[in-house]
Amino acid sequence: NLNDEQFRSSRLKVLWTPTDNLAVTGLYWMNNSDFGAPANAEDDGTRTLAIPEPVENRYEFAYLSFEYQAENFTFTSVTNYNDALFLNHADFNGTDLLTKITNDGWSQEIRLNSTGEGPWLWTVGGLYSSFEQSTFQDVDQRIADMLGLNDVDDTNDTVNWALFGDITYLFNDKWEASIGARYFKDERDTNDVQGFYIGDEVITQKFDDFSPRFNVAYHPTDTSTLYFQAAKGFRSGLNQF
């Protein structure tokens, strides 16, 4: 009976409204879990292991937001931070195969939104984010020599930013049209320290894209909407070895 589980979680949230127009919100969340072994077994409910296989997960998340209500617009700022750890031991031909994966990073978004009744409604803003993922896998030297393997030790960094905007015109209480756009730029670095994949080098790839959007909407009733939309989407790829 090795696969015991322990969970610990805590959360703190604070709201501060120093004025009628300003709201500041902060959140911190921590979630940890520990497993004596993975929850799998043979048909008879048992499993034979040469070594223990504990699993450890750690996760932290925090954000801070500011929202200011002006006469004709709302200013919003949101900052996010997260930090995660996954640690796993596995029985690999009677040896301990250790896998450690970490993720950490932060992002910042700023937005301005109109608050009037129209006929013009608009949104503009920007986003910046920076994240790093590290993967480490320790292979027993005897297994590594026999199979010709190296330890896995690599990092993947991504830094990106975007600018976006959207404007809507209300023709009347039935018809409206919107046009918007987003410009995105991303740089991704992969560093394979042990040369498991690419031979101890750094691969860098850069992505950028301009994504427009157009929308026409019709509201036949207060509870229904018919619309036509044309938009371009984009997502960065992974670094190729």
Side-chain angles (χ1 to χ4, degrees), residues 14 19-20 61 72 76-77 80 88 91 114 149 154 190-191 214 224 235:
V14 178
T19 69
D20 292 339
F61 172 77
N72 296 313
T76 304
S77 170
N80 290 295
N88 175 67
D91 182 355
S114 63
L149 299 176
D154 65 69
T190 298
N191 182 15
F214 174 72
S224 61
R235 176 174 292 182

Side-chain angles (χ1 to χ4, degrees), residues 148-178:
L149 299 176
N150 291 328
D151 293 340
V152 175
D153 188 0
D154 65 69
T155 60
N156 291 277
D157 300 325
T158 177
V159 175
N160 61 70
W161 59 268
L163 299 174
F164 55 87
D166 191 275
I167 188 168
T168 299
Y169 183 75
L170 306 178
F171 295 96
N172 48 51
D173 60 352
K174 299 290 186 181
W175 288 93
E176 64 183 69
S178 302

Side-chain angles (χ1 to χ4, degrees), residues 92-93 95 139-150 196:
F92 184 47
N93 291 332
T95 66
V139 182
D140 186 277
Q141 193 60 49
R142 295 167 295 176
I143 301 296
D145 293 341
M146 180 176 62
L147 300 179
L149 299 176
N150 291 328
F196 188 85

Side-chain angles (χ1 to χ4, degrees), residues 220-240:
T221 68
D222 293 339
T223 58
S224 61
T225 300
L226 302 174
Y227 68 90
F228 167 82
Q229 177 167 285
K232 178 186 176 184
F234 174 79
R235 176 174 292 182
S236 300
L238 297 176
N239 285 352
Q240 303 297 308

Side-chain angles (χ1 to χ4, degrees), residues 20-31:
D20 292 339
N21 296 335
L22 177 62
V24 182
T25 305
L27 171 70
Y28 173 78
W29 179 40
M30 179 271 292
N31 186 52

